[in-house]
């Protein structure tokens, strides 16, 4: 009989998948970005794949009680990327439409983070 490996499912699965898929998030945050956010919030994350870093960042910050700080740091990083999109759209008018779409998706990512910060009212 085959052994099956079951991983504990992360409570942040939606958010993790959102950050991994640049089509939905509208931005690419590198492994270094996630490590820097972790360091800012007192977490020592080791270099892994982006997928593992996102999982570690969210789950460890939740356990340490610093999830709201991590969300604030991620929002700050997203705001920087959005302002870069706006600046580039002024400098390169032909790229205005695609850059506006990226900024809109990044704002959607901020809304997802805000929903995560509020938490699920039906849990506990």
């Amino acid at each position: 009989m085959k052994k099956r490996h079951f991983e504990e499912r992360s409570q942040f699965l939606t958010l993790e998948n959102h950050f991994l898929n640049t089509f939905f998030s509208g931005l690419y945050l590198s492994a270094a970005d996630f490590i820097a956010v972790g360091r800012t919030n007192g977490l020592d994350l080791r270099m892994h794949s982006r997928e593992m870093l996102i999982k570690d960042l969210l789950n460890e910050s939740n356990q340490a009680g610093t999830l709201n700080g991590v969300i604030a740091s991620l929002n700050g990083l997203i705001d920087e990327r959005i302002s870069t999109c706006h600046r580039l759209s002024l400098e390169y008018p032909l790229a205005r439409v695609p850059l506006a779409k990226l900024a809109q998706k990044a704002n959607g990512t901020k809304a997802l983070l805000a929903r995560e910060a509020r938490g699920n009212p039906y849990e506990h």
Side-chain angles (χ1 to χ4, degrees):
M1 209 159 139
K2 290 184 179 179
K3 289 184 180 180
R4 295 184 183 192
H5 299 283
F6 293 101
E7 269 188 44
E8 188 175 322
R9 190 174 166 165
S10 171
Q11 73 184 65
F12 302 106
L13 189 60
T14 302
L15 196 54
E16 293 164 7
N17 288 334
H18 191 79
F19 275 117
L20 286 173
N21 191 333
T22 56
F23 177 79
F24 294 117
S25 66
L27 46 93
Y28 178 85
L29 298 178
S30 69
D33 292 329
F34 289 116
I35 290 171
V37 167
R39 189 178 317 115
T40 300
N41 290 280
L43 299 173
D44 183 31
L45 299 176
R46 302 200 185 279
M47 183 58 88
H48 287 291
S49 66
R50 284 179 64 243
E51 179 181 8
M52 290 304 299
L53 281 169
I54 295 167
K55 285 178 186 285
D56 289 348
L57 177 65
L58 295 173
N59 289 305
E60 288 181 23
S61 67
N62 188 43
Q63 290 173 353
T66 59
L67 182 61
N68 286 334
V70 166
I71 289 174
S73 296
L74 288 171
N75 277 326
L77 195 55
I78 293 169
D79 284 339
E80 289 175 18
R81 302 292 165 87
I82 291 171
S83 66
T84 299
C85 284
H86 290 310
R87 182 181 50 80
L88 289 173
S89 70
L90 294 174
E91 292 176 11
Y92 302 98
L94 294 177
R96 187 167 290 149
V97 172
L99 288 169
K101 287 181 182 178
L102 290 176
Q104 182 180 13
K105 288 179 181 184
N107 277 317
T109 300
K110 285 183 64 172
L112 185 62
L113 283 170
R115 188 179 79 196
E116 193 62 52
R118 283 191 307 270
N120 186 347
Y122 301 108
E123 289 181 352
H124 299 105

